Amino acid sequence: MSASPPLPHARIREVFARFQAANPEPKGELEHTSAFTLLVAVALSAQATDAGVNKATRGLFAVADTPEKMLALGEEGLIAHIRTIGLFRNKARNVIALSRRLIEDFDGQVPSSRAALESLPGVGRKTANVVLNMWFHHPAQAVDTHVFRVANRTGIAPGRDVLAVERALEDRIPVEFQRHAHHWLILHGRYICTARAPRCAACPIADICQSEEKTA
């Protein structure tokens, strides 16, 4: 996919004004009840659908919704709940390890800094940014495949890699839209600006988007 030319700042403001008007308080689709359950759900969601993760974690979080309970459940007990999720063995190993680290180094609490989050087993920059944004309300920009595609396709924040897009989003999106920006972009990419056959006829920013891949 080739990137479109960068949108002018006034057009970017209009894009997010429309997203906000249509969905003032966008929500992530991973089910959670605490910072810990959110962290685990996001860690499990790599190369998996949110729906698939939610199906697995409903039973899991009913019995293990704290680091202490997760550690008591153990790796094999965790695997029994998440076997339907891709890479479940490696993810189970990481979740048990991060639970232990939270207990030993953070008094059982999920830290609110990116550096501390990224120090946990299996937690990368994207996972850290999702937790910072969704739980701690930081204006962090988590760039997944949907955000990367939409940012480049529309010209909102073109970039050759995930980090370049993240920095472009931080630089180019007006501050009043930063908090919810990554959710608007994820939902737009998931349901409208899809990788194949984007639904341009239903797109609220079709007249602004500069993509040559438009289907309408």
Side-chain angles (χ1 to χ4, degrees), residues 147-158:
V147 175
F148 186 81
R149 179 176 65 255
V150 173
N152 275 289
R153 183 181 273 170
T154 60
I156 291 170

Side-chain angles (χ1 to χ4, degrees), residues 1 4 7 15-16 19 143-158 165 169 181 184-195 203 205 209 211:
M1 180 189 69
S4 297
L7 276 178
V15 166
F16 286 97
F19 285 158
V143 180
D144 68 356
T145 56
H146 297 300
V147 175
F148 186 81
R149 179 176 65 255
V150 173
N152 275 289
R153 183 181 273 170
T154 60
I156 291 170
V165 168
L169 290 170
W184 283 318
L185 293 171
I186 287 171
L187 294 171
H188 188 66
R190 184 172 290 164
Y191 298 111
I192 301 293
C193 196
T194 51
C203 178
I205 61 167
C209 174
S211 175

